[in-house]
Amino acid sequence: MNSDIEEIVFDEAALQQRVREIAEEINEEYQGKALLLVGILKGCMYFLADLIRHLTIPISLDFMSISTYGFSTEKTGVVRILKDLEKPIENQHVLIVEDIVDTGLTLGYLLKMLKERAPLSLRVCALLDKSSYRIMRVPLDYRGFELGRRFVVGYGLDYQERYRHLPFVCVLKKEICPL
């Protein structure tokens, strides 16, 4: 597996330090309030699990799974909800937790849909931001790292459902992943 790696972009220590810092910001922002964290499956799992370990405010969890149809149709904003929230979010403070945001189209669709459900507040926390790919402006209230134009795996991110388990974020060798 390690022979597939070209470069480690964010090592485990850097990830854990940034997650703690984000959790501190969230704890301060939501002090005295209950917060519903909505994890976007599957990529958010490692980030979300580490994040909640550092939260000191009352939280509850729910999950969504979203599918986009390949890169060419992704630009048209075609999104399909594979798993919706289990409970209503009306009158709740909601924080969407994402692994990575690139074009913003999927997140834009999700924000629009969830705003219609009347939460008290709706914010976004993303571990990685590929702002250079942004097509639609979307708010990132909490952001781990700017990524640039690299395709990365690890810490929940995958290539063909592999490499999610790595405790760091890395770039694969071109012969493994030509993206």
Side-chain angles (χ1 to χ4, degrees):
M1 186 72 60
N2 284 346
S3 62
D4 296 351
I5 298 170
E6 178 72 32
E7 172 192 1
I8 295 176
V9 180
F10 303 112
D11 66 18
E12 190 172 0
L15 290 167
Q16 293 306 313
Q17 175 61 36
R18 188 64 188 122
V19 169
R20 280 190 297 276
E21 292 168 357
I22 292 169
E24 288 171 12
E25 292 176 47
I26 294 168
N27 286 329
E28 186 176 313
E29 179 82 22
Y30 290 95
Q31 187 173 17
K33 301 173 186 170
L35 180 63
L36 170 63
L37 298 169
V38 175
I40 308 303
L41 298 172
K42 299 177 187 171
C44 79
M45 291 304 301
Y46 290 82
F47 176 42
L48 179 62
D50 287 342
L51 182 66
I52 64 176
R53 287 184 185 101
H54 298 288
L55 293 176
T56 57
I57 57 171
I59 63 162
S60 55
L61 293 173
D62 207 340
F63 297 92
M64 294 185 79
S65 182
I66 300 168
S67 173
T68 55
Y69 296 99
F71 188 72
S72 62
T73 55
E74 191 173 311
K75 287 189 174 187
T76 65
V78 178
V79 177
R80 188 172 63 144
I81 304 295
L82 302 176
K83 182 206 175 306
D84 205 341
L85 298 172
E86 293 180 10
K87 296 180 182 176
I89 62 170
E90 185 176 357
N91 296 319
Q92 292 189 61
H93 295 286
V94 177
L95 181 64
I96 297 169
V97 180
E98 273 274 27
D99 55 353
I100 189 166
V101 177
D102 47 34
T103 65
L105 292 171
T106 302
L107 181 58
Y109 172 85
L110 183 60
L111 285 168
K112 182 177 184 257
M113 182 185 73
L114 292 179
K115 281 179 186 174
E116 293 172 356
R117 299 180 187 185
L120 282 176
S121 67
L122 181 61
R123 295 199 172 161
V124 178
C125 177
L127 176 65
L128 301 174
D129 183 11
K130 289 177 119 177
S131 62
S132 61
Y133 282 95
R134 199 79 81 240
I135 293 171
M136 176 183 283
R137 292 181 69 127
V138 291
L140 295 186
D141 302 283
Y142 307 97
R143 180 179 83 152
F145 300 96
E146 173 63 40
L147 187 58
R149 293 190 164 264
R150 299 191 237 187
F151 182 86
V152 294
V153 299
Y155 200 63
L157 298 150
D158 74 297
Y159 174 63
Q160 297 179 345
E161 290 298 325
R162 296 179 61 211
Y163 308 102
R164 286 188 199 278
H165 68 286
L166 298 173
F168 46 78
V169 173
C170 65
V171 175
L172 296 174
K173 291 181 178 174
K174 293 284 184 212
E175 58 268 21
I176 305 297
C177 176
L179 302 175

